[in-house]
Amino acid sequence: MSKCFPDNFLWGGAIAANQVEGAYLTDGKGLSTADLLPHGIMGERQLRTPGDSNIKDIAIDFYHRYREDIALFAEMGFTCLRISIAWTRIYPQGDEDTANEEGLAFYDRVFDELAKYNIQPVVTLSHYEMPYGLVKNYGGWGNRQTITFFERYARTVFCRYRDKVKYWLTFNEINMSLHAPFTGVGLPNTSDKSAIYQAIHHQLVASARAVKACHALISDAKIGSMLLGGILYPLTCKPDDVIETLQQNREWLFFGDVQARGAYPAYMTRVFSKHGIRLYITDQDRQDLQETVDFISFSYYMSGCVTKDQELNQQARANILNMVPNPHLPHSEWGWQIDPVGLRYLLNVLYDRYQKPLFIVENGLGAKDVLTEDGSIQDEYRIKYLNDHLYQVGEALEDGVCILGYTSWGPIDLVSASKAEMSKRYGFIYVDRDDDGNGTLVRRRKKSFYWYAEIIKSCGKTLKAPHIE
Ligand code: BG6
Protein backbone atom coordinates (compact mmCIF):
# COMPACT_ATOMS: atom_id res chain seq x y z
CA MET A 1 0.00 0.00 0.00
CA SER A 2 1.47 3.36 -0.92
CA LYS A 3 2.36 5.80 1.82
CA CYS A 4 0.72 9.15 2.27
CA PHE A 5 2.92 12.03 3.39
CA PRO A 6 1.41 15.47 3.99
CA ASP A 7 1.81 17.97 1.15
CA ASN A 8 3.73 20.35 3.40
CA PHE A 9 6.13 17.62 4.58
CA LEU A 10 9.70 18.95 4.37
CA TRP A 11 12.02 16.78 2.26
CA GLY A 12 15.75 17.29 2.16
CA GLY A 13 19.17 16.49 3.51
CA ALA A 14 21.41 17.46 6.42
CA ILE A 15 25.03 18.61 6.52
CA ALA A 16 27.22 20.20 9.18
CA ALA A 17 29.67 23.08 8.79
CA ASN A 18 32.78 21.30 10.03
CA GLN A 19 32.13 18.24 7.86
CA VAL A 20 31.60 20.08 4.56
CA GLU A 21 32.81 23.66 4.51
CA GLY A 22 36.59 23.45 4.77
CA ALA A 23 38.12 26.95 4.61
CA TYR A 24 38.86 26.41 8.27
CA LEU A 25 40.72 29.68 8.79
CA THR A 26 39.29 31.69 5.90
CA ASP A 27 37.67 35.12 6.22
CA GLY A 28 38.44 35.51 9.88
CA LYS A 29 37.18 32.13 11.09
CA GLY A 30 38.69 31.02 14.41
CA LEU A 31 39.80 27.53 15.43
CA SER A 32 36.99 25.32 16.61
CA THR A 33 37.11 22.19 18.73
CA ALA A 34 36.36 20.20 15.56
CA ASP A 35 39.55 21.59 13.97
CA LEU A 36 41.54 19.91 16.75
CA LEU A 37 40.17 16.41 16.24
CA PRO A 38 41.87 14.95 13.15
CA HIS A 39 40.63 11.44 13.99
CA GLY A 40 37.00 12.20 14.75
CA ILE A 41 34.74 13.33 17.53
CA MET A 42 35.60 10.60 20.01
CA GLY A 43 39.33 11.30 19.77
CA GLU A 44 41.68 13.24 21.96
CA ARG A 45 42.37 16.88 21.22
CA GLN A 46 45.56 17.54 19.26
CA LEU A 47 47.10 20.97 19.17
CA ARG A 48 47.71 22.27 15.67
CA THR A 49 51.25 22.87 14.55
CA PRO A 50 52.24 24.76 11.41
CA GLY A 51 52.13 22.51 8.36
CA ASP A 52 49.97 19.72 9.80
CA SER A 53 46.71 19.01 8.11
CA ASN A 54 43.31 17.65 8.91
CA ILE A 55 40.91 16.27 6.31
CA LYS A 56 38.32 18.79 7.50
CA ASP A 57 40.56 21.76 6.62
CA ILE A 58 39.19 21.46 3.09
CA ALA A 59 36.47 18.85 3.71
CA ILE A 60 34.40 18.94 0.50
CA ASP A 61 35.01 22.67 0.03
CA PHE A 62 31.36 23.60 0.42
CA TYR A 63 32.58 27.07 1.40
CA HIS A 64 33.48 27.71 -2.22
CA ARG A 65 31.19 25.22 -3.99
CA TYR A 66 27.89 25.79 -2.19
CA ARG A 67 26.21 27.14 -5.33
CA GLU A 68 26.90 23.97 -7.29
CA ASP A 69 25.84 21.78 -4.37
CA ILE A 70 22.63 23.64 -3.72
CA ALA A 71 21.76 23.44 -7.42
CA LEU A 72 22.12 19.65 -7.16
CA PHE A 73 19.92 19.55 -4.05
CA ALA A 74 17.35 21.62 -5.93
CA GLU A 75 17.54 19.20 -8.84
CA MET A 76 16.48 16.43 -6.43
CA GLY A 77 13.54 18.61 -5.39
CA PHE A 78 14.64 19.41 -1.83
CA THR A 79 12.21 21.62 0.02
CA CYS A 80 14.57 22.02 2.97
CA LEU A 81 18.26 21.76 3.78
CA ARG A 82 19.64 21.35 7.27
CA ILE A 83 22.97 23.12 7.70
CA SER A 84 24.85 24.37 10.72
CA ILE A 85 26.51 27.71 11.28
CA ALA A 86 30.12 27.50 12.40
CA TRP A 87 30.09 29.58 15.59
CA THR A 88 33.78 30.38 14.91
CA ARG A 89 32.93 32.17 11.66
CA ILE A 90 30.73 34.55 13.62
CA TYR A 91 32.71 34.84 16.87
CA PRO A 92 36.18 33.44 16.07
CA GLN A 93 37.34 33.17 19.70
CA GLY A 94 33.87 33.09 21.17
CA ASP A 95 34.17 36.07 23.53
CA GLU A 96 34.42 39.04 21.13
CA ASP A 97 32.05 41.99 21.54
CA THR A 98 31.36 42.26 17.84
CA ALA A 99 30.61 39.63 15.24
CA ASN A 100 32.80 38.85 12.24
CA GLU A 101 31.06 40.40 9.24
CA GLU A 102 32.73 38.13 6.69
CA GLY A 103 31.38 35.07 8.46
CA LEU A 104 27.88 36.50 8.61
CA ALA A 105 28.05 37.42 4.94
CA PHE A 106 28.94 33.85 3.97
CA TYR A 107 25.73 32.45 5.45
CA ASP A 108 23.75 35.28 3.88
CA ARG A 109 25.01 34.05 0.53
CA VAL A 110 24.09 30.46 1.35
CA PHE A 111 20.57 31.38 2.52
CA ASP A 112 20.04 33.57 -0.54
CA GLU A 113 21.08 30.73 -2.77
CA LEU A 114 18.63 28.39 -1.02
CA ALA A 115 15.87 30.96 -1.35
CA LYS A 116 16.40 31.01 -5.13
CA TYR A 117 15.13 27.43 -5.17
CA ASN A 118 12.53 27.78 -2.40
CA ILE A 119 14.55 25.53 -0.12
CA GLN A 120 13.85 26.21 3.56
CA PRO A 121 17.00 26.32 5.69
CA VAL A 122 16.89 24.33 8.94
CA VAL A 123 19.79 25.70 10.94
CA THR A 124 21.69 24.15 13.84
CA LEU A 125 23.45 26.69 16.04
CA SER A 126 26.15 24.32 17.21
CA HIS A 127 26.93 21.05 15.48
CA TYR A 128 29.76 19.30 17.30
CA GLU A 129 31.94 22.40 17.52
CA MET A 130 32.56 25.47 19.60
CA PRO A 131 35.27 28.14 19.54
CA TYR A 132 38.49 26.66 20.88
CA GLY A 133 39.12 30.07 22.49
CA LEU A 134 36.27 29.36 24.90
CA VAL A 135 37.79 26.00 25.81
CA LYS A 136 41.29 27.34 26.30
CA ASN A 137 40.42 30.53 28.13
CA TYR A 138 37.24 29.63 29.99
CA GLY A 139 37.06 25.83 30.29
CA GLY A 140 34.31 25.33 27.71
CA TRP A 141 30.81 24.62 28.97
CA GLY A 142 32.24 23.89 32.41
CA ASN A 143 32.16 27.67 32.85
CA ARG A 144 28.81 29.38 33.31
CA GLN A 145 30.08 32.40 31.31
CA THR A 146 29.87 30.30 28.17
CA ILE A 147 26.08 30.58 28.45
CA THR A 148 26.37 34.32 27.92
CA PHE A 149 28.72 33.95 24.96
CA PHE A 150 26.40 31.43 23.33
CA GLU A 151 23.36 33.61 23.88
CA ARG A 152 25.17 36.53 22.26
CA TYR A 153 26.01 34.38 19.26
CA ALA A 154 22.45 33.05 19.01
CA ARG A 155 20.95 36.54 19.19
CA THR A 156 23.36 37.78 16.53
CA VAL A 157 22.33 35.13 14.02
CA PHE A 158 18.62 35.36 14.87
CA CYS A 159 18.70 39.11 14.21
CA ARG A 160 20.75 38.79 11.07
CA TYR A 161 18.79 35.96 9.44
CA ARG A 162 15.33 36.57 10.89
CA ASP A 163 13.78 36.98 7.41
CA LYS A 164 15.66 34.03 5.92
CA VAL A 165 15.54 31.22 8.49
CA LYS A 166 12.37 29.93 10.11
CA TYR A 167 13.55 26.58 11.50
CA TRP A 168 16.29 26.48 14.11
CA LEU A 169 17.90 23.78 16.24
CA THR A 170 20.08 24.53 19.26
CA PHE A 171 22.73 21.83 19.91
CA ASN A 172 23.32 18.85 17.68
CA GLU A 173 22.83 15.54 19.52
CA ILE A 174 23.03 17.28 22.85
CA ASN A 175 23.03 13.91 24.62
CA MET A 176 26.36 12.92 22.98
CA SER A 177 28.30 14.95 25.57
CA LEU A 178 28.10 11.98 27.90
CA HIS A 179 30.09 9.94 25.35
CA ALA A 180 32.30 12.62 23.78
CA PRO A 181 32.86 15.36 26.38
CA PHE A 182 35.41 17.38 24.39
CA THR A 183 33.21 17.54 21.32
CA GLY A 184 30.01 18.09 23.26
CA VAL A 185 30.97 20.46 26.07
CA GLY A 186 34.66 21.28 25.54
CA LEU A 187 35.86 19.27 28.54
CA PRO A 188 38.71 16.73 28.58
CA ASN A 189 37.42 13.24 27.71
CA THR A 190 38.70 12.05 31.08
CA SER A 191 36.38 14.39 33.02
CA ASP A 192 34.26 12.86 35.77
CA LYS A 193 30.48 12.64 35.58
CA SER A 194 29.93 15.56 37.95
CA ALA A 195 31.90 17.92 35.74
CA ILE A 196 30.20 16.66 32.60
CA TYR A 197 26.68 16.99 34.00
CA GLN A 198 27.44 20.49 35.30
CA ALA A 199 28.64 21.48 31.81
CA ILE A 200 25.54 19.86 30.32
CA HIS A 201 23.42 21.86 32.73
CA HIS A 202 25.01 25.08 31.44
CA GLN A 203 24.35 23.95 27.88
CA LEU A 204 20.71 23.17 28.64
CA VAL A 205 20.26 26.63 30.16
CA ALA A 206 21.96 28.17 27.10
CA SER A 207 19.64 26.20 24.85
CA ALA A 208 16.57 27.44 26.73
CA ARG A 209 17.82 31.02 26.55
CA ALA A 210 18.32 30.68 22.81
CA VAL A 211 14.78 29.34 22.51
CA LYS A 212 13.51 32.36 24.42
CA ALA A 213 15.52 34.77 22.27
CA CYS A 214 14.31 33.10 19.09
CA HIS A 215 10.67 33.37 20.18
CA ALA A 216 11.16 37.05 21.01
CA LEU A 217 13.13 37.98 17.89
CA ILE A 218 11.45 35.92 15.14
CA SER A 219 7.78 35.51 15.92
CA ASP A 220 7.11 33.12 13.02
CA ALA A 221 10.11 30.84 13.63
CA LYS A 222 10.12 27.39 15.20
CA ILE A 223 13.03 26.20 17.28
CA GLY A 224 13.70 22.63 18.31
CA SER A 225 15.94 20.37 20.31
CA MET A 226 18.17 17.83 18.57
CA LEU A 227 18.71 14.42 20.14
CA LEU A 228 20.67 11.38 19.13
CA GLY A 229 17.77 8.96 18.98
CA GLY A 230 19.57 5.91 20.30
CA ILE A 231 16.55 3.79 21.16
CA LEU A 232 17.27 0.68 23.21
CA TYR A 233 15.36 -2.59 23.50
CA PRO A 234 15.69 -5.12 26.30
CA LEU A 235 17.77 -8.05 25.05
CA THR A 236 15.37 -10.42 26.83
CA CYS A 237 12.02 -10.07 28.58
CA LYS A 238 13.65 -10.67 31.97
CA PRO A 239 12.25 -7.95 34.23
CA ASP A 240 15.78 -6.91 35.22
CA ASP A 241 16.67 -6.32 31.57
CA VAL A 242 13.47 -4.36 31.09
CA ILE A 243 14.17 -2.07 34.06
CA GLU A 244 17.77 -1.59 32.96
CA THR A 245 16.53 -0.62 29.49
CA LEU A 246 14.13 1.92 30.96
CA GLN A 247 17.00 3.47 32.87
CA GLN A 248 19.41 3.52 29.94
CA ASN A 249 16.81 5.08 27.65
CA ARG A 250 16.27 7.75 30.28
CA GLU A 251 19.97 8.65 30.07
CA TRP A 252 19.34 10.21 26.69
CA LEU A 253 15.63 11.04 26.98
CA PHE A 254 16.58 13.18 29.97
CA PHE A 255 17.83 15.86 27.57
CA GLY A 256 14.56 15.90 25.66
CA ASP A 257 12.62 15.92 28.92
CA VAL A 258 14.36 19.10 30.07
CA GLN A 259 14.10 20.80 26.68
CA ALA A 260 10.50 19.84 25.99
CA ARG A 261 9.04 19.88 29.49
CA GLY A 262 11.05 22.70 31.04
CA ALA A 263 12.43 21.04 34.19
CA TYR A 264 14.66 18.25 35.42
CA PRO A 265 12.67 15.00 35.53
CA ALA A 266 12.22 13.39 38.96
CA TYR A 267 14.11 10.23 37.98
CA MET A 268 17.37 12.20 37.67
CA THR A 269 17.47 12.83 41.43
CA ARG A 270 18.19 9.16 41.99
CA VAL A 271 20.70 9.00 39.13
CA PHE A 272 22.60 12.00 40.47
CA SER A 273 22.67 10.73 44.03
CA LYS A 274 23.83 7.27 42.90
CA HIS A 275 26.86 8.91 41.23
CA GLY A 276 27.43 11.47 43.99
CA ILE A 277 26.64 14.32 41.59
CA ARG A 278 25.56 17.65 43.06
CA LEU A 279 24.72 20.24 40.45
CA TYR A 280 24.86 23.94 41.04
CA ILE A 281 21.52 25.22 39.71
CA THR A 282 20.30 28.76 40.37
CA ASP A 283 16.68 29.91 40.63
CA GLN A 284 17.24 31.88 37.46
CA ASP A 285 18.42 28.69 35.71
CA ARG A 286 15.20 26.92 36.70
CA GLN A 287 13.20 29.81 35.35
CA ASP A 288 15.18 29.87 32.10
CA LEU A 289 14.66 26.15 31.57
CA GLN A 290 10.90 26.68 31.51
CA GLU A 291 11.15 28.08 27.99
CA THR A 292 10.53 24.91 25.99
CA VAL A 293 11.20 23.95 22.40
CA ASP A 294 8.54 23.98 19.67
CA PHE A 295 9.48 20.62 18.21
CA ILE A 296 11.79 17.69 18.80
CA SER A 297 14.30 16.78 16.14
CA PHE A 298 16.54 13.77 16.25
CA SER A 299 18.98 11.59 14.36
CA TYR A 300 18.30 7.92 13.87
CA TYR A 301 20.78 5.41 12.53
CA MET A 302 20.33 2.30 14.62
CA SER A 303 18.81 0.71 17.66
CA GLY A 304 20.57 -1.41 20.26
CA CYS A 305 19.92 -3.76 23.13
CA VAL A 306 20.41 -3.74 26.87
CA THR A 307 21.10 -6.57 29.24
CA LYS A 308 22.12 -6.99 32.85
CA ASP A 309 24.20 -10.01 31.83
CA GLN A 310 27.81 -8.95 32.52
CA GLU A 311 29.35 -11.44 30.14
CA LEU A 312 27.22 -10.33 27.21
CA ASN A 313 27.98 -6.75 28.12
CA GLN A 314 31.69 -7.42 27.81
CA GLN A 315 31.31 -8.99 24.38
CA ALA A 316 31.27 -7.33 20.99
CA ARG A 317 30.27 -3.74 21.43
CA ALA A 318 29.02 -2.70 18.10
CA ASN A 319 29.16 1.05 17.93
CA ILE A 320 30.05 4.37 19.46
CA LEU A 321 27.25 4.12 22.00
CA ASN A 322 28.37 0.72 23.29
CA MET A 323 25.03 -0.87 22.58
CA VAL A 324 24.71 -4.65 22.83
CA PRO A 325 23.95 -5.99 19.33
CA ASN A 326 20.49 -7.24 18.46
CA PRO A 327 20.72 -10.83 17.16
CA HIS A 328 17.79 -10.24 14.80
CA LEU A 329 19.27 -7.35 12.83
CA PRO A 330 21.87 -6.93 10.08
CA HIS A 331 24.52 -4.25 10.34
CA SER A 332 26.39 -1.83 8.11
CA GLU A 333 30.07 -2.10 7.17
CA TRP A 334 30.74 0.02 10.26
CA GLY A 335 28.79 -2.29 12.57
CA TRP A 336 25.78 0.01 12.91
CA GLN A 337 22.69 -2.16 13.17
CA ILE A 338 20.01 -1.55 10.58
CA ASP A 339 16.50 -1.33 12.03
CA PRO A 340 13.89 0.55 9.97
CA VAL A 341 11.04 -0.54 12.25
CA GLY A 342 12.96 1.00 15.15
CA LEU A 343 12.41 4.39 13.50
CA ARG A 344 8.63 3.92 13.61
CA TYR A 345 8.92 2.76 17.21
CA LEU A 346 11.06 5.75 18.18
CA LEU A 347 8.72 8.22 16.47
CA ASN A 348 5.83 6.79 18.47
CA VAL A 349 7.78 6.79 21.74
CA LEU A 350 8.80 10.43 21.32
CA TYR A 351 5.36 11.60 20.25
CA ASP A 352 3.63 9.77 23.09
CA ARG A 353 6.10 11.32 25.50
CA TYR A 354 6.18 14.92 24.30
CA GLN A 355 3.09 15.51 22.13
CA LYS A 356 5.15 17.94 20.08
CA PRO A 357 5.89 17.79 16.35
CA LEU A 358 8.91 15.68 15.44
CA PHE A 359 11.51 16.21 12.75
CA ILE A 360 13.86 13.45 11.56
CA VAL A 361 16.95 15.50 10.82
CA GLU A 362 19.46 12.69 10.25
CA ASN A 363 19.17 9.17 8.93
CA GLY A 364 21.26 7.36 6.36
CA LEU A 365 23.67 4.61 5.48
CA GLY A 366 27.43 5.10 5.58
CA ALA A 367 28.90 2.75 2.99
CA LYS A 368 31.95 2.28 0.77
CA ASP A 369 30.76 3.20 -2.71
CA VAL A 370 32.40 1.93 -5.86
CA LEU A 371 32.96 4.27 -8.75
CA THR A 372 32.49 2.08 -11.83
CA GLU A 373 34.42 2.48 -15.06
CA ASP A 374 31.59 4.34 -16.73
CA GLY A 375 31.62 6.85 -13.86
CA SER A 376 28.36 5.67 -12.26
CA ILE A 377 27.76 4.62 -8.65
CA GLN A 378 25.18 1.85 -8.27
CA ASP A 379 24.28 2.31 -4.61
CA GLU A 380 21.29 -0.04 -4.40
CA TYR A 381 22.06 -0.76 -0.73
CA ARG A 382 21.55 2.93 0.13
CA ILE A 383 18.27 3.02 -1.78
CA LYS A 384 17.06 -0.03 0.14
CA TYR A 385 18.11 1.44 3.50
CA LEU A 386 16.41 4.76 2.85
CA ASN A 387 13.32 3.22 1.28
CA ASP A 388 12.79 0.95 4.25
CA HIS A 389 13.26 3.75 6.78
CA LEU A 390 11.04 6.20 4.93
CA TYR A 391 8.38 3.52 4.61
CA GLN A 392 8.36 3.30 8.41
CA VAL A 393 8.05 7.08 8.62
CA GLY A 394 4.89 6.62 6.53
CA GLU A 395 3.69 3.99 9.02
CA ALA A 396 4.30 6.39 11.92
CA LEU A 397 2.31 9.09 10.12
CA GLU A 398 -0.54 6.60 9.90
CA ASP A 399 -0.06 5.89 13.62
CA GLY A 400 -0.96 9.56 14.12
CA VAL A 401 2.50 10.94 14.81
CA CYS A 402 2.99 14.55 13.76
CA ILE A 403 6.17 14.76 11.65
CA LEU A 404 7.44 17.98 10.10
CA GLY A 405 9.97 16.50 7.74
CA TYR A 406 12.88 14.26 6.94
CA THR A 407 16.46 15.24 6.10
CA SER A 408 18.71 12.34 5.18
CA TRP A 409 22.21 12.59 6.57
CA GLY A 410 24.91 13.62 4.15
CA PRO A 411 22.99 14.11 0.86
CA ILE A 412 26.44 14.77 -0.52
CA ASP A 413 29.48 12.75 0.61
CA LEU A 414 31.24 14.48 3.50
CA VAL A 415 33.80 13.83 6.21
CA SER A 416 32.46 11.37 8.76
CA ALA A 417 32.14 12.56 12.33
CA SER A 418 33.18 9.47 14.25
CA LYS A 419 36.37 8.66 12.32
CA ALA A 420 36.99 11.68 10.06
CA GLU A 421 36.92 9.46 6.97
CA MET A 422 35.76 10.25 3.44
CA SER A 423 35.30 6.58 2.60
CA LYS A 424 32.23 6.31 4.83
CA ARG A 425 29.89 7.81 2.28
CA TYR A 426 26.25 8.77 2.83
CA GLY A 427 25.55 10.89 -0.22
CA PHE A 428 23.24 10.89 -3.20
CA ILE A 429 26.10 12.88 -4.67
CA TYR A 430 29.57 11.38 -4.87
CA VAL A 431 32.56 13.59 -4.08
CA ASP A 432 35.93 12.67 -5.52
CA ARG A 433 38.12 12.75 -2.41
CA ASP A 434 39.72 9.93 -0.43
CA ASP A 435 40.73 9.47 3.20
CA ASP A 436 44.18 10.93 2.51
CA GLY A 437 42.72 14.04 0.95
CA ASN A 438 43.49 13.07 -2.66
CA GLY A 439 40.94 13.79 -5.39
CA THR A 440 39.49 16.46 -7.61
CA LEU A 441 36.42 17.22 -5.43
CA VAL A 442 34.31 16.73 -8.55
CA ARG A 443 30.67 15.87 -7.81
CA ARG A 444 28.75 12.98 -9.48
CA ARG A 445 25.14 11.88 -9.18
CA LYS A 446 24.73 8.37 -7.77
CA LYS A 447 21.85 6.04 -8.62
CA SER A 448 20.21 7.03 -5.32
CA PHE A 449 20.15 10.65 -6.53
CA TYR A 450 17.50 9.82 -9.12
CA TRP A 451 15.66 7.56 -6.69
CA TYR A 452 15.37 10.26 -4.00
CA ALA A 453 14.22 12.79 -6.60
CA GLU A 454 11.36 10.41 -7.49
CA ILE A 455 10.42 9.89 -3.86
CA ILE A 456 10.24 13.63 -3.28
CA LYS A 457 8.33 14.22 -6.49
CA SER A 458 5.74 11.59 -5.61
CA CYS A 459 5.66 12.79 -1.98
CA GLY A 460 6.55 9.29 -0.80
CA LYS A 461 4.01 7.44 -2.94
CA THR A 462 6.73 5.54 -4.82
CA LEU A 463 8.16 4.03 -1.62
CA LYS A 464 8.05 0.25 -1.71
CA ALA A 465 6.74 -1.97 1.06
CA PRO A 466 9.80 -3.69 2.55
CA HIS A 467 10.34 -7.31 1.66
CA ILE A 468 9.59 -9.44 4.74
CA GLU A 469 12.00 -12.39 5.14
C1 BG6 B 1 25.53 12.03 13.81
C2 BG6 B 1 26.18 13.39 13.67
O1 BG6 B 1 25.93 11.47 15.00
O2 BG6 B 1 25.92 11.03 12.95
C3 BG6 B 1 26.80 13.68 12.34
O3 BG6 B 1 25.28 14.41 14.03
C4 BG6 B 1 27.49 12.43 11.85
O4 BG6 B 1 27.65 14.77 12.47
C5 BG6 B 1 26.47 11.33 11.68
O5 BG6 B 1 28.24 12.61 10.69
C6 BG6 B 1 27.00 10.03 11.12
O6 BG6 B 1 28.11 9.61 11.83
P1 BG6 B 1 29.48 9.28 11.09
O7 BG6 B 1 30.44 9.01 12.17
O8 BG6 B 1 29.19 8.09 10.26
O9 BG6 B 1 29.82 10.47 10.30
Side-chain angles (χ1 to χ4, degrees), residues 16 19 41 82 127-128 172-173 176 226 228 299 301 320 336 362 366 409 414-419 424 426:
Q19 293 171 259
I41 57 167
R82 176 178 173 227
H127 189 125
Y128 280 171
N172 181 62
E173 295 187 338
M176 257 310 265
M226 197 311 197
L228 186 159
S299 61
Y301 293 91
I320 51 175
W336 293 18
E362 282 186 35
W409 176 250
L414 39 68
V415 181
S416 89
S418 53
K419 298 269 171 57
K424 189 177 188 188
Y426 285 87

Side-chain angles (χ1 to χ4, degrees), residues 22 53 61 68 70 153 189 281 299 352 415 439:
S53 66
D61 197 29
E68 182 190 347
I70 290 171
Y153 156 61
N189 286 342
I281 304 179
S299 61
D352 284 352
V415 181

